[in-house]
Amino acid sequence: MSSIDDLLAGARSTLNRVTPAQAAQLQAEGALVVDIRPHPNRAAEGEIPGSVVVERIHLEWRLAPDSAWRLPGVTTDTTAILVCNEGYASSLAAADLQRLGLPNATDLSGGFRAWAAAGLPVVEGGSDPVP
C-alpha cells in the first residue's frame, strides 16, 4: 500500500490545479466552485462568493455526470474547482470525480486559505450545504 504522499501525488498527476487568480477567472467564465470544507471551517473563515457547498460525503453523488442525484446542469463538460482548507483533500476529491466521468474536475492550489490570502472576495460563511 502506498503512503499518503504517493496517493496525493498520484491524484495531482491528473489535475490541472489552479491558483486563486485562475480560479476567480474560471468562475467568472462559468466554472463551478465547490466548497467541500466542514461547516465549522466555513463559519469561522468565510466562503467564496458564488461557490456551492457540497459536503464531502455527498460529493460524488452531486457531481458525477451520470448520477441521478447530480446538481442541475452538471455534465461531462462542467469545469468544477474543488475547495478545501489548504488544497489536500480537494486534490483527492477532484481525482475521484475525474474517475467518475468529470474530466474537468480540479482543485484550488492552497485551498480557501490561499484564496483569502490573495485578497480575493470572501463572504460570511456557514451556508447550508446542498442537500
Side-chain angles (χ1 to χ4, degrees):
M1 188 158 219
S2 67
S3 72
I4 188 64
D5 291 332
D6 293 337
L7 183 65
L8 185 60
R12 288 180 172 169
S13 73
T14 68
L15 304 176
N16 292 317
R17 301 184 77 214
V18 295
T19 66
Q22 290 169 322
Q25 181 61 42
L26 288 167
Q27 183 184 37
E29 295 170 1
L32 181 64
V33 175
V34 182
D35 193 332
I36 64 170
R37 295 176 300 143
H39 182 268
N41 294 102
R42 292 182 287 102
E45 297 181 52
E47 298 173 5
I48 295 172
S51 64
V52 176
V53 177
V54 178
E55 291 183 347
R56 179 64 186 95
I57 64 170
H58 297 135
L59 186 68
E60 287 81 359
W61 286 268
R62 299 296 181 253
L63 279 112
D66 63 351
S67 171
W69 301 280
R70 74 183 174 281
L71 296 174
V74 171
T75 70
T76 56
D77 295 325
T78 299
T79 297
I81 303 166
L82 302 187
V83 179
C84 68
N85 289 332
E86 295 179 339
Y88 295 98
S90 57
S91 292
L92 299 173
D96 286 346
L97 291 176
Q98 285 184 345
R99 285 190 292 277
L100 288 173
L102 196 65
N104 298 319
T106 191
D107 76 323
L108 176 59
S109 183
F112 177 83
R113 292 175 182 159
W115 175 281
L120 292 165
V122 173
V123 296
E124 185 175 338
S127 298
D128 290 331
V130 171

